[in-house]
Amino acid sequence: MYKKLLGLLMPLALIAGAQSAHAYSDAYNIEGKENLIIISPHQDDALLTFGGYLQFLKDSGKLDKVRTEINVMIGLSNYSTNWHNVTTEHRVMHISKNRYSEDLDGLSDLFGGWDKFRYKIQGLWDAPLRGYEGGVTAGGGSSGTFKNFRQEEIDEFNHAIEIIKPMLKNDKSLVLVPIANGNHIDHFIMKEAVIKAAYDLGDEAKATIIFGQDQPYTGANPSGENDEIDALVKRLPSNAIAKNYVTLVKDTNGETSKLRIYKKDYLTQYDEGYLTPLENNIEETLYVWEPATYKSVKSHADCGVAQTFCQLAK
């Protein structure tokens, strides 16, 4: 029998200064929150980025007090491990349906049943379906930032912003999104869409945003695990980001729940190159963003002066 996953979630000192008085600098303390909203770029990212945190909340009974909602932003894909760059109707429909089924099975396992969470597919297109080509990330996906955006990425970014804005208006919500380690283009789009939505809303943005380290991208390139959070901290006032972590204990087979579920359910995405990063992933790092600083965030370093769609505070 698998050991119960043990989570030790502790707030560390604020990355940019002394401890904040804001109650939700501690991601473990979800008292007063009613909604847990996860923005998952693809069908496996909720599990791979936040599986340990969610397992801990479930095991400690905290998920019983909130409405958990998974938002899979990219609903259509032709990408699987046996990647052939084929965009036929059959390929897209077959892979998209399989990924949907795999994710539901995996999340039902993680949460303890289909009735423990809500599941939405927002229907945006995966990078290969948009014809995007970029450098290869440590996890195998196409990389990119604003400097690589074409009109297709601008459209997806703007669409994602409008989807995300309503999620940020409730002060009783926690909104989780990958930090985009490795700059997978789709993860970058969703992370920056959350930031832009929060900035645009200003004082109307009341939800607490939590960034998580993407896997297997972080584990495959551990030397770069702080690159994205360090870059975000530079865009914000001091005391804006608090660092938390959750430690995952392996079972008697040497597996965390995240690894076990990935190997069992995510067959189209099963890649031996993912196994070592996931086997080594026994800690999830979470970054809690202070809502009072949403309207003070500066533009991304790769947002050019002519790219008005991504411009934020100066």
Side-chain angles (χ1 to χ4, degrees), residues 46-117:
L47 172 78
L48 295 180
T49 300
F50 298 108
Y53 177 56
L54 295 171
Q55 184 79 50
F56 175 75
L57 292 179
K58 185 190 81 168
D59 289 348
S60 59
K62 295 178 182 294
L63 283 186
D64 296 337
K65 301 176 182 179
V66 296
R67 180 183 186 275
T68 302
E69 177 181 296
I70 311 294
N71 280 269
V72 179
M73 301 300 287
I74 293 172
L76 287 179
S77 176
N78 63 336
Y79 183 83
S80 68
T81 299
N82 62 333
W83 172 235
H84 300 303
N85 196 21
V86 176
T87 56
T88 62
E89 181 77 10
H90 174 76
R91 172 77 178 186
V92 173
M93 290 297 98
H94 179 72
I95 294 300
S96 297
K97 290 175 183 177
N98 281 358
R99 295 194 70 173
Y100 170 78
S101 177
E102 292 168 1
D103 205 27
L104 278 182
D105 287 342
L107 293 174
S108 293
D109 189 338
L110 177 66
F111 287 108
W114 64 267
D115 58 336
K116 305 301 183 184
F117 63 100

Side-chain angles (χ1 to χ4, degrees), residues 44-53 177-179 187 211-215 258 284-286:
D44 53 0
D45 291 316
L47 172 78
L48 295 180
T49 300
F50 298 108
Y53 177 56
V177 64
I179 192 68
H187 290 221
F211 300 99
Q213 288 187 348
D214 324 48
Q215 292 295 348
K258 179 191 295 190
E284 288 180 359
T285 306
L286 307 174

Side-chain angles (χ1 to χ4, degrees), residues 105-297:
D105 287 342
L107 293 174
S108 293
D109 189 338
L110 177 66
F111 287 108
W114 64 267
D115 58 336
K116 305 301 183 184
F117 63 100
R118 302 298 188 271
Y119 191 83
K120 295 181 179 180
I121 292 182
Q122 297 295 347
L124 300 179
W125 288 8
D126 206 355
L129 297 187
R130 301 193 308 271
Y132 180 85
E133 295 181 1
V136 179
T137 69
S142 295
S143 66
T145 67
F146 286 127
K147 65 184 178 182
N148 307 112
F149 272 34
R150 308 162 303 153
Q151 188 60 49
E152 291 85 350
E153 282 66 56
I154 295 174
D155 291 343
E156 184 130 322
F157 174 69
N158 287 333
H159 194 166
I161 291 169
E162 297 309 312
I163 293 171
I164 292 164
K165 280 181 178 179
M167 304 177 194
L168 301 181
K169 292 184 177 182
N170 188 343
D171 64 353
K172 298 185 183 301
S173 295
L174 292 173
V175 177
L176 281 60
V177 64
I179 192 68
N181 281 344
N183 281 329
H184 185 303
I185 186 65
D186 294 328
H187 290 221
F188 178 84
I189 288 172
M190 301 313 158
K191 181 255 291 187
E192 289 298 324
V194 168
I195 294 172
K196 182 68 159 59
Y199 173 81
D200 286 351
L201 288 172
D203 291 334
E204 290 185 72
K206 301 180 184 300
T208 300
I209 296 168
I210 301 177
F211 300 99
Q213 288 187 348
D214 324 48
Q215 292 295 348
Y217 302 99
T218 303
N221 183 31
S223 64
E225 68 175 320
N226 294 316
D227 290 352
E228 294 309 308
I229 191 59
D230 288 348
L232 180 57
V233 165
K234 291 178 181 178
R235 298 164 62 184
L236 290 163
S238 62
N239 301 341
I241 299 286
K243 184 178 182 180
N244 292 236
Y245 66 88
V246 60
T247 300
L248 290 66
V249 175
K250 295 181 178 181
D251 62 28
T252 54
N253 293 324
E255 295 180 342
T256 64
S257 292
K258 179 191 295 190
L259 177 60
R260 175 182 60 81
I261 293 171
Y262 168 75
K263 290 169 65 175
K264 178 174 71 72
D265 291 317
Y266 292 83
L267 300 182
T268 68
Q269 307 305 303
Y270 186 88
D271 188 319
E272 291 190 358
Y274 281 25
L275 296 183
T276 298
L278 291 177
E279 287 166 355
N280 294 334
N281 177 215
I282 59 171
E283 182 176 280
E284 288 180 359
T285 306
L286 307 174
Y287 308 102
V288 186
W289 186 8
E290 170 59 52
T293 67
Y294 291 169
K295 59 187 177 183
S296 301
V297 62

